[in-house]
Amino acid sequence: METPFAPPDEAARDSLLQALRGAVGGAFVATSDADTFPYRRDLWPRLTVTARDGLPEVPPLAVVRPADEAEVEAVVRALHEHGCPIVAYGAGSGV
């Protein structure tokens, strides 16, 4: 399994989260376990089997909800500046 992106240290993590909050506002950057849990995986059958088998699921660092095109652009810029990949999440069906 490929290791997911993780900031190298707490300062880098805090810097990334601050940039995301600056892009969309703090209320639209969710980081709690309760908020990020549904985004750990979609409902693609293979991922459902890995969950059944107890393989680890890696929670996202944050779930960001931009409101418009300008905020999407600001989020993409912040992620690029921090070397962080973008993982888009649609309806969660896996198709």
Coordinates of all heavy atoms in Angstrom, one line a residue:
M1 N 0.8 -1.2 0.0 CA 0.0 0.0 0.0 C 0.9 1.2 0.0 O 1.8 1.3 0.7 CB -0.9 0.0 1.2 CG -1.7 1.3 1.4 SD -2.6 1.4 3.0 CE -3.9 0.3 2.7
E2 N 0.6 2.2 -0.8 CA 1.3 3.4 -0.9 C 1.0 4.3 0.3 O -0.1 4.4 0.7 CB 1.0 4.1 -2.2 CG 1.8 5.4 -2.4 CD 1.5 6.0 -3.8 OE1 1.2 5.3 -4.7 OE2 1.4 7.3 -3.8
T3 N 2.0 4.9 0.8 CA 1.8 5.8 2.0 C 1.1 7.0 1.6 O 1.5 7.7 0.6 CB 3.2 6.1 2.6 OG1 3.9 4.9 3.0 CG2 3.0 7.0 3.9
P4 N 0.1 7.4 2.2 CA -0.6 8.6 1.9 C 0.2 9.9 2.3 O 1.1 9.8 3.1 CB -1.9 8.6 2.7 CG -1.6 7.7 3.8 CD -0.5 6.7 3.3
F5 N -0.2 11.0 1.7 CA 0.5 12.2 2.0 C 0.3 12.6 3.5 O -0.7 12.4 4.0 CB 0.0 13.4 1.2 CG 0.5 14.7 1.6 CD1 1.7 15.2 1.2 CD2 -0.3 15.5 2.5 CE1 2.2 16.4 1.6 CE2 0.2 16.7 2.9 CZ 1.4 17.2 2.5
A6 N 1.4 13.0 4.1 CA 1.3 13.6 5.4 C 2.4 14.7 5.5 O 3.5 14.5 5.1 CB 1.6 12.5 6.5
P7 N 2.0 15.8 6.1 CA 3.0 16.8 6.3 C 4.2 16.3 7.1 O 3.9 15.4 8.0 CB 2.2 17.9 7.1 CG 0.8 17.7 6.7 CD 0.7 16.2 6.6
P8 N 5.4 16.7 6.9 CA 6.5 16.2 7.6 C 6.6 16.4 9.1 O 7.2 15.7 9.8 CB 7.7 16.8 6.9 CG 7.2 18.0 6.2 CD 5.7 17.8 5.9
D9 N 5.9 17.5 9.6 CA 5.9 17.7 11.0 C 4.7 18.6 11.3 O 4.0 19.0 10.5 CB 7.2 18.4 11.4 CG 7.5 19.7 10.6 OD1 6.6 20.5 10.3 OD2 8.7 19.9 10.2
E10 N 4.6 18.9 12.6 CA 3.4 19.7 13.1 C 3.4 21.1 12.5 O 2.3 21.6 12.2 CB 3.4 19.7 14.6 CG 3.0 18.4 15.3 CD 1.6 18.1 15.0 OE1 0.7 18.9 15.1 OE2 1.4 16.9 14.7
A11 N 4.6 21.7 12.3 CA 4.6 23.0 11.8 C 4.1 23.1 10.4 O 3.3 23.9 10.0 CB 6.0 23.6 11.9
A12 N 4.5 22.1 9.6 CA 4.0 22.0 8.2 C 2.5 21.7 8.1 O 1.8 22.2 7.3 CB 4.8 20.9 7.4
R13 N 2.1 20.8 9.0 CA 0.6 20.5 9.1 C -0.2 21.8 9.5 O -1.2 22.1 8.8 CB 0.4 19.4 10.2 CG -1.0 19.1 10.4 CD -1.2 18.1 11.6 NE -2.5 17.8 11.9 CZ -3.4 18.5 12.6 NH1 -3.0 19.7 13.1 NH2 -4.6 18.1 12.8
D14 N 0.3 22.5 10.5 CA -0.4 23.7 10.9 C -0.4 24.8 9.8 O -1.4 25.5 9.6 CB 0.2 24.3 12.2 CG 0.0 23.4 13.4 OD1 -0.9 22.5 13.3 OD2 0.7 23.6 14.4
S15 N 0.7 24.9 9.1 CA 0.8 25.8 8.0 C -0.2 25.5 6.9 O -0.8 26.4 6.3 CB 2.3 25.8 7.4 OG 2.4 26.7 6.3
L16 N -0.3 24.2 6.5 CA -1.2 23.8 5.5 C -2.6 24.0 5.9 O -3.4 24.6 5.2 CB -1.0 22.3 5.2 CG -2.1 21.6 4.3 CD1 -2.2 22.4 2.9 CD2 -1.8 20.2 4.1
L17 N -3.0 23.7 7.1 CA -4.4 23.9 7.6 C -4.7 25.4 7.7 O -5.8 25.8 7.3 CB -4.6 23.3 9.0 CG -4.6 21.7 9.0 CD1 -4.7 21.2 10.4 CD2 -5.8 21.2 8.1
Q18 N -3.7 26.2 8.1 CA -3.9 27.7 8.1 C -4.1 28.2 6.7 O -5.0 29.1 6.5 CB -2.7 28.4 8.8 CG -2.9 29.8 9.0 CD -4.1 30.2 9.9 OE1 -4.4 29.4 10.8 NE2 -4.8 31.3 9.6
A19 N -3.4 27.7 5.7 CA -3.6 28.2 4.3 C -5.0 27.8 3.8 O -5.6 28.6 3.1 CB -2.5 27.6 3.5
L20 N -5.4 26.6 4.2 CA -6.8 26.1 3.8 C -7.8 27.0 4.4 O -8.8 27.4 3.8 CB -7.0 24.7 4.1 CG -6.1 23.7 3.3 CD1 -6.2 22.3 3.8 CD2 -6.4 23.8 1.8
R21 N -7.7 27.3 5.7 CA -8.6 28.1 6.4 C -8.6 29.5 5.8 O -9.7 30.2 5.7 CB -8.3 28.2 7.9 CG -8.6 26.9 8.6 CD -8.3 26.9 10.1 NE -8.5 25.6 10.7 CZ -7.6 24.8 11.2 NH1 -6.3 25.2 11.2 NH2 -7.9 23.7 11.7
G22 N -7.5 30.0 5.4 CA -7.4 31.3 4.7 C -8.1 31.3 3.4 O -8.6 32.3 3.0
A23 N -8.1 30.2 2.7 CA -8.8 30.1 1.4 C -10.3 30.0 1.5 O -10.9 30.6 0.6 CB -8.2 28.8 0.7
V24 N -10.8 29.4 2.5 CA -12.3 29.2 2.5 C -12.9 29.6 3.8 O -14.2 29.6 3.9 CB -12.7 27.7 2.2 CG1 -12.2 27.3 0.9 CG2 -12.2 26.8 3.3
G25 N -12.2 30.0 4.8 CA -12.7 30.3 6.1 C -12.7 29.1 7.0 O -12.9 27.9 6.6
G26 N -12.4 29.3 8.3 CA -12.2 28.2 9.2 C -13.4 27.3 9.4 O -13.3 26.1 9.6
A27 N -14.6 27.8 9.2 CA -15.8 27.0 9.3 C -16.0 25.9 8.2 O -16.8 25.0 8.4 CB -17.1 27.9 9.4
F28 N -15.2 26.1 7.2 CA -15.3 25.2 6.0 C -14.1 24.3 5.8 O -14.0 23.7 4.8 CB -15.6 26.0 4.8 CG -16.9 26.8 4.9 CD1 -16.8 28.2 5.2 CD2 -18.1 26.2 4.8 CE1 -17.9 28.9 5.4 CE2 -19.3 27.0 5.0 CZ -19.2 28.3 5.3
V29 N -13.3 24.2 6.9 CA -12.2 23.2 6.9 C -12.4 22.3 8.1 O -12.3 22.7 9.3 CB -10.8 23.9 7.0 CG1 -9.7 22.9 7.1 CG2 -10.6 24.9 5.8
A30 N -12.9 21.1 7.9 CA -13.2 20.2 9.0 C -12.0 19.3 9.2 O -11.5 18.7 8.3 CB -14.4 19.3 8.6
T31 N -11.7 19.1 10.5 CA -10.5 18.3 10.8 C -10.8 17.2 11.9 O -10.0 16.4 12.2 CB -9.3 19.1 11.3 OG1 -9.7 19.9 12.4 CG2 -8.8 20.0 10.2
S32 N -12.0 17.3 12.5 CA -12.3 16.4 13.6 C -12.5 15.0 13.1 O -12.8 14.8 11.9 CB -13.5 16.8 14.4 OG -14.7 16.5 13.6
D33 N -12.3 14.0 13.9 CA -12.5 12.6 13.5 C -13.9 12.4 13.0 O -14.2 11.7 12.0 CB -12.2 11.6 14.7 CG -10.7 11.5 15.0 OD1 -9.9 11.8 14.1 OD2 -10.4 11.0 16.1
A34 N -14.9 13.0 13.7 CA -16.3 12.8 13.3 C -16.6 13.4 11.9 O -17.3 12.8 11.2 CB -17.2 13.5 14.4
D35 N -15.9 14.5 11.6 CA -16.1 15.1 10.3 C -15.4 14.4 9.2 O -15.9 14.4 8.1 CB -15.7 16.6 10.3 CG -16.6 17.5 11.2 OD1 -17.8 17.1 11.3 OD2 -16.2 18.5 11.7
T36 N -14.2 13.9 9.5 CA -13.4 13.3 8.4 C -13.7 11.8 8.2 O -13.4 11.2 7.2 CB -11.9 13.5 8.6 OG1 -11.6 12.8 9.9 CG2 -11.6 14.9 8.6
F37 N -14.4 11.1 9.2 CA -14.6 9.7 9.1 C -15.3 9.3 7.9 O -14.9 8.3 7.2 CB -15.4 9.2 10.4 CG -15.7 7.7 10.4 CD1 -14.7 6.9 10.8 CD2 -16.9 7.2 9.9 CE1 -14.9 5.5 10.7 CE2 -17.1 5.9 9.9 CZ -16.1 5.0 10.3
P38 N -16.4 9.9 7.4 CA -17.1 9.5 6.2 C -16.3 9.6 5.0 O -16.7 9.0 4.0 CB -18.3 10.4 6.1 CG -18.5 11.0 7.5 CD -17.1 11.0 8.1
Y39 N -15.2 10.3 5.0 CA -14.4 10.5 3.8 C -13.2 9.6 3.7 O -12.3 9.8 2.9 CB -14.0 12.0 3.7 CG -15.2 12.9 3.6 CD1 -15.8 13.4 4.7 CD2 -15.8 13.1 2.4 CE1 -16.9 14.2 4.7 CE2 -16.9 13.9 2.3 CZ -17.5 14.5 3.4 OH -18.6 15.2 3.3
R40 N -13.1 8.7 4.6 CA -11.9 7.7 4.6 C -11.9 6.8 3.4 O -10.9 6.4 3.0 CB -11.9 6.9 5.9 CG -11.6 7.7 7.1 CD -11.6 6.8 8.4 NE -11.3 7.7 9.5 CZ -10.9 7.2 10.6 NH1 -10.8 5.9 10.8 NH2 -10.6 8.0 11.6
R41 N -13.1 6.5 2.9 CA -13.2 5.7 1.7 C -14.6 5.9 1.1 O -15.5 6.4 1.8 CB -13.0 4.2 2.1 CG -14.1 3.6 3.0 CD -13.8 2.2 3.4 NE -14.8 1.7 4.3 CZ -16.0 1.2 3.9 NH1 -16.3 1.1 2.6 NH2 -16.8 0.7 4.8
D42 N -14.7 5.4 -0.1 CA -16.0 5.4 -0.7 C -16.6 4.0 -0.7 O -16.1 3.2 0.1 CB -16.0 6.0 -2.2 CG -15.1 5.1 -3.1 OD1 -14.8 3.9 -2.8 OD2 -14.6 5.6 -4.1
L43 N -17.7 3.8 -1.4 CA -18.4 2.5 -1.3 C -18.0 1.5 -2.4 O -18.7 0.6 -2.7 CB -19.9 2.7 -1.2 CG -20.3 3.5 0.0 CD1 -21.8 3.7 -0.1 CD2 -20.0 2.8 1.3
W44 N -16.8 1.7 -3.0 CA -16.3 0.8 -4.0 C -16.2 -0.6 -3.4 O -15.7 -0.7 -2.3 CB -15.0 1.3 -4.6 CG -14.5 0.6 -5.7 CD1 -13.4 -0.2 -5.8 CD2 -15.0 0.6 -7.1 NE1 -13.2 -0.7 -7.0 CE2 -14.2 -0.3 -7.8 CE3 -16.1 1.2 -7.7 CZ2 -14.4 -0.5 -9.2 CZ3 -16.3 1.0 -9.0 CH2 -15.5 0.2 -9.8
P45 N -16.7 -1.6 -4.0 CA -16.7 -2.9 -3.4 C -15.3 -3.4 -2.8 O -15.3 -4.0 -1.7 CB -17.2 -3.9 -4.5 CG -18.0 -3.0 -5.3 CD -17.4 -1.7 -5.3
R46 N -14.2 -3.1 -3.5 CA -12.9 -3.6 -3.1 C -12.6 -2.9 -1.7 O -12.0 -3.5 -0.8 CB -11.9 -3.3 -4.1 CG -10.5 -3.9 -3.7 CD -9.4 -3.7 -4.7 NE -9.9 -3.3 -6.0 CZ -9.0 -3.0 -7.0 NH1 -7.7 -3.0 -6.8 NH2 -9.5 -2.5 -8.1
L47 N -12.9 -1.6 -1.6 CA -12.7 -0.9 -0.4 C -13.6 -1.4 0.8 O -13.2 -1.4 1.9 CB -12.8 0.6 -0.6 CG -11.8 1.2 -1.6 CD1 -12.1 2.7 -1.8 CD2 -10.4 1.1 -1.0
T48 N -14.8 -1.8 0.4 CA -15.6 -2.4 1.4 C -15.1 -3.7 2.0 O -15.1 -3.9 3.2 CB -17.1 -2.6 0.9 OG1 -17.5 -1.3 0.4 CG2 -18.0 -3.1 1.9
V49 N -14.5 -4.5 1.1 CA -13.9 -5.7 1.5 C -12.6 -5.4 2.4 O -12.4 -6.1 3.4 CB -13.5 -6.6 0.3 CG1 -12.6 -7.8 0.7 CG2 -14.7 -7.1 -0.4
T50 N -11.8 -4.5 2.1 CA -10.7 -4.2 2.9 C -11.1 -3.7 4.3 O -10.5 -4.0 5.3 CB -9.8 -3.1 2.2 OG1 -10.5 -1.9 2.0 CG2 -9.2 -3.6 0.9
A51 N -12.2 -2.9 4.3 CA -12.7 -2.5 5.6 C -13.2 -3.7 6.4 O -13.0 -3.9 7.6 CB -13.9 -1.5 5.5
R52 N -13.9 -4.7 5.7 CA -14.4 -5.9 6.4 C -13.2 -6.7 7.0 O -13.3 -7.3 8.0 CB -15.1 -6.7 5.4 CG -15.6 -8.1 6.0 CD -15.9 -9.1 4.9 NE -14.6 -9.5 4.3 CZ -14.6 -10.1 3.1 NH1 -15.6 -10.4 2.5 NH2 -13.4 -10.4 2.6
D53 N -12.1 -6.7 6.2 CA -10.9 -7.5 6.6 C -10.1 -6.8 7.6 O -9.0 -7.3 8.0 CB -10.1 -7.9 5.4 CG -10.9 -8.8 4.5 OD1 -11.9 -9.4 4.9 OD2 -10.4 -9.0 3.3
G54 N -10.4 -5.6 8.0 CA -9.7 -4.9 9.0 C -8.4 -4.2 8.6 O -7.6 -3.8 9.4
L55 N -8.3 -4.0 7.3 CA -7.1 -3.3 6.8 C -7.2 -1.8 7.2 O -8.3 -1.3 7.3 CB -6.9 -3.4 5.3 CG -6.7 -4.9 4.9 CD1 -6.7 -5.0 3.3 CD2 -5.4 -5.4 5.4
P56 N -6.1 -1.1 7.5 CA -6.2 0.2 8.0 C -6.8 1.2 6.9 O -6.5 1.1 5.7 CB -4.8 0.6 8.3 CG -3.9 -0.3 7.5 CD -4.7 -1.6 7.3
E57 N -7.6 2.1 7.4 CA -8.1 3.2 6.6 C -7.4 4.5 7.1 O -7.3 4.7 8.3 CB -9.6 3.4 6.8 CG -10.3 2.2 6.2 CD -11.9 2.4 6.4 OE1 -12.3 3.1 7.3 OE2 -12.6 1.6 5.8
V58 N -6.9 5.3 6.2 CA -6.2 6.5 6.6 C -7.1 7.7 6.5 O -7.6 8.0 5.4 CB -5.0 6.7 5.7 CG1 -4.2 8.0 6.1 CG2 -4.0 5.5 5.8
P59 N -7.4 8.3 7.6 CA -8.3 9.5 7.5 C -7.7 10.7 6.8 O -6.4 10.8 6.8 CB -8.6 9.8 9.0 CG -7.3 9.4 9.7 CD -6.9 8.1 8.9
P60 N -8.5 11.5 6.2 CA -7.9 12.7 5.5 C -7.5 13.7 6.6 O -8.0 13.7 7.7 CB -9.1 13.2 4.7 CG -10.3 12.7 5.3 CD -9.9 11.4 5.9
L61 N -6.5 14.5 6.3 CA -6.1 15.5 7.2 C -7.2 16.5 7.4 O -7.4 17.0 8.6 CB -4.8 16.2 6.6 CG -4.3 17.4 7.4 CD1 -3.8 16.9 8.8 CD2 -3.2 18.1 6.7
A62 N -7.9 16.8 6.4 CA -9.0 17.8 6.5 C -10.0 17.5 5.3 O -9.6 17.0 4.3 CB -8.5 19.2 6.4
V63 N -11.2 18.0 5.5 CA -12.2 18.0 4.5 C -12.5 19.5 4.3 O -12.9 20.2 5.2 CB -13.5 17.2 4.9 CG1 -14.6 17.4 3.8 CG2 -13.2 15.8 5.1
V64 N -12.3 19.9 3.0 CA -12.5 21.4 2.7 C -13.7 21.5 1.8 O -13.9 20.8 0.9 CB -11.2 21.9 2.0 CG1 -11.3 23.4 1.7 CG2 -10.0 21.6 2.9
R65 N -14.5 22.5 2.1 CA -15.7 22.8 1.4 C -15.8 24.2 0.8 O -16.4 25.1 1.4 CB -17.0 22.5 2.3 CG -17.1 21.1 2.7 CD -18.3 20.9 3.6 NE -18.4 19.5 4.0 CZ -18.0 19.0 5.2 NH1 -17.4 19.8 6.0 NH2 -18.2 17.8 5.4
P66 N -15.1 24.4 -0.4 CA -15.2 25.7 -1.0 C -16.6 26.0 -1.5 O -17.3 25.1 -1.9 CB -14.1 25.6 -2.1 CG -14.0 24.1 -2.4 CD -14.3 23.4 -1.1
A67 N -16.9 27.3 -1.5 CA -18.2 27.7 -1.9 C -18.3 28.2 -3.3 O -19.4 28.2 -3.9 CB -18.7 28.9 -1.0
D68 N -17.2 28.5 -3.9 CA -17.3 29.0 -5.3 C -16.0 28.8 -6.0 O -15.0 28.2 -5.4 CB -17.7 30.5 -5.4 CG -16.7 31.4 -4.6 OD1 -15.5 31.1 -4.5 OD2 -17.2 32.4 -4.0
E69 N -15.9 29.1 -7.3 CA -14.7 28.9 -8.1 C -13.5 29.5 -7.6 O -12.4 29.0 -7.6 CB -15.0 29.4 -9.5 CG -13.9 29.0 -10.5 CD -14.3 29.4 -11.9 OE1 -15.5 29.4 -12.3 OE2 -13.4 29.8 -12.7
A70 N -13.6 30.8 -7.0 CA -12.5 31.5 -6.5 C -11.9 30.7 -5.3 O -10.7 30.6 -5.1 CB -12.9 32.9 -6.1
E71 N -12.8 30.2 -4.5 CA -12.3 29.4 -3.3 C -11.7 28.1 -3.7 O -10.7 27.7 -3.1 CB -13.4 29.2 -2.3 CG -13.8 30.4 -1.6 CD -14.8 30.2 -0.5 OE1 -15.3 29.1 -0.3 OE2 -15.2 31.2 0.2
V72 N -12.2 27.4 -4.8 CA -11.6 26.2 -5.3 C -10.2 26.6 -5.8 O -9.2 25.8 -5.4 CB -12.4 25.6 -6.4 CG1 -11.6 24.5 -7.1 CG2 -13.7 25.1 -5.9
E73 N -10.0 27.6 -6.5 CA -8.7 28.1 -7.0 C -7.8 28.3 -5.8 O -6.6 27.9 -5.8 CB -8.9 29.3 -7.8 CG -7.7 29.8 -8.5 CD -8.0 31.0 -9.4 OE1 -9.0 31.0 -10.1 OE2 -7.2 31.9 -9.3
A74 N -8.2 29.0 -4.8 CA -7.4 29.3 -3.6 C -7.0 28.0 -2.9 O -5.8 27.8 -2.4 CB -8.1 30.2 -2.6
V75 N -7.9 27.0 -2.8 CA -7.6 25.7 -2.2 C -6.5 25.0 -3.0 O -5.5 24.5 -2.4 CB -8.8 24.9 -2.0 CG1 -8.5 23.4 -1.6 CG2 -9.8 25.5 -0.9
V76 N -6.7 24.9 -4.3 CA -5.7 24.2 -5.2 C -4.4 24.9 -5.0 O -3.4 24.2 -4.9 CB -6.2 24.2 -6.6 CG1 -5.2 23.7 -7.6 CG2 -7.5 23.4 -6.7
R77 N -4.3 26.2 -5.0 CA -3.1 26.9 -4.9 C -2.4 26.6 -3.5 O -1.2 26.3 -3.5 CB -3.3 28.4 -5.0 CG -2.0 29.2 -4.9 CD -2.2 30.7 -5.1 NE -3.0 31.1 -6.3 CZ -4.3 31.5 -6.2 NH1 -4.9 31.7 -5.1 NH2 -4.9 31.8 -7.4
A78 N -3.2 26.6 -2.4 CA -2.6 26.3 -1.1 C -2.1 24.8 -1.1 O -1.0 24.6 -0.6 CB -3.7 26.5 0.0
L79 N -2.8 23.9 -1.6 CA -2.4 22.5 -1.7 C -1.1 22.4 -2.5 O -0.1 21.7 -2.1 CB -3.5 21.6 -2.2 CG -4.7 21.5 -1.3 CD1 -5.8 20.7 -2.0 CD2 -4.4 20.8 0.0
H80 N -1.1 23.0 -3.6 CA 0.1 23.0 -4.5 C 1.4 23.5 -3.8 O 2.4 22.9 -3.8 CB -0.1 23.7 -5.8 CG 1.1 23.8 -6.7 ND1 1.6 22.7 -7.4 CD2 1.9 24.8 -7.0 CE1 2.6 23.1 -8.0 NE2 2.9 24.4 -7.8
E81 N 1.2 24.7 -3.1 CA 2.3 25.3 -2.4 C 2.8 24.4 -1.3 O 4.0 24.5 -0.9 CB 1.9 26.7 -1.9 CG 1.7 27.7 -2.9 CD 1.0 29.0 -2.4 OE1 0.7 29.1 -1.2 OE2 0.9 29.9 -3.3
H82 N 2.0 23.6 -0.7 CA 2.4 22.7 0.3 C 2.8 21.3 -0.1 O 3.0 20.4 0.7 CB 1.3 22.6 1.4 CG 1.3 23.9 2.2 ND1 0.6 25.0 1.8 CD2 1.8 24.2 3.4 CE1 0.7 26.0 2.7 NE2 1.5 25.5 3.7
G83 N 2.7 21.1 -1.4 CA 3.1 19.7 -2.0 C 2.1 18.7 -1.7 O 2.4 17.5 -1.6
C84 N 0.8 19.1 -1.4 CA -0.2 18.1 -1.0 C -1.1 17.7 -2.2 O -1.6 18.6 -2.9 CB -1.1 18.8 0.1 SG -2.4 17.8 0.7
P85 N -1.4 16.5 -2.3 CA -2.3 16.1 -3.4 C -3.7 16.5 -3.1 O -4.1 16.7 -2.0 CB -2.2 14.5 -3.4 CG -1.8 14.2 -2.0 CD -0.9 15.3 -1.5
I86 N -4.5 16.5 -4.2 CA -5.9 16.8 -4.1 C -6.7 15.5 -4.3 O -6.4 14.8 -5.3 CB -6.4 17.8 -5.2 CG1 -5.6 19.1 -5.0 CG2 -7.9 18.0 -5.2 CD1 -5.8 20.0 -6.2
V87 N -7.6 15.2 -3.4 CA -8.4 14.0 -3.5 C -9.9 14.5 -3.5 O -10.4 14.9 -2.5 CB -8.2 13.0 -2.4 CG1 -9.1 11.8 -2.6 CG2 -6.7 12.6 -2.3
A88 N -10.4 14.5 -4.7 CA -11.8 15.0 -4.9 C -12.8 13.9 -4.4 O -12.5 12.7 -4.6 CB -12.1 15.3 -6.3
Y89 N -13.8 14.3 -3.8 CA -14.8 13.3 -3.3 C -16.2 13.7 -3.8 O -16.6 14.8 -3.6 CB -14.8 13.3 -1.7 CG -15.6 12.2 -1.1 CD1 -15.0 11.0 -0.8 CD2 -17.0 12.3 -0.9 CE1 -15.7 10.0 -0.2 CE2 -17.7 11.3 -0.3 CZ -17.0 10.1 0.0 OH -17.7 9.1 0.6
G90 N -16.8 12.8 -4.5 CA -18.1 13.1 -5.1 C -19.2 12.6 -4.2 O -19.3 12.9 -3.0
A91 N -20.0 11.7 -4.7 CA -21.2 11.2 -3.9 C -20.7 10.0 -3.0 O -21.5 9.6 -2.2 CB -22.3 10.8 -4.8
G92 N -19.5 9.5 -3.2 CA -19.0 8.4 -2.4 C -19.4 7.0 -2.9 O -19.2 6.0 -2.2
S93 N -20.0 6.9 -4.1 CA -20.4 5.7 -4.6 C -19.2 4.9 -5.2 O -19.3 3.6 -5.3 CB -21.5 5.8 -5.7 OG -20.9 6.5 -6.8
G94 N -18.2 5.5 -5.6 CA -17.0 4.8 -6.1 C -17.1 4.6 -7.6 O -16.3 3.9 -8.2
V95 N -18.2 5.1 -8.2 CA -18.3 4.9 -9.7 C -18.3 6.3 -10.4 O -18.4 7.3 -9.8 CB -19.7 4.2 -10.1 CG1 -19.6 2.8 -9.6 CG2 -20.9 5.0 -9.5

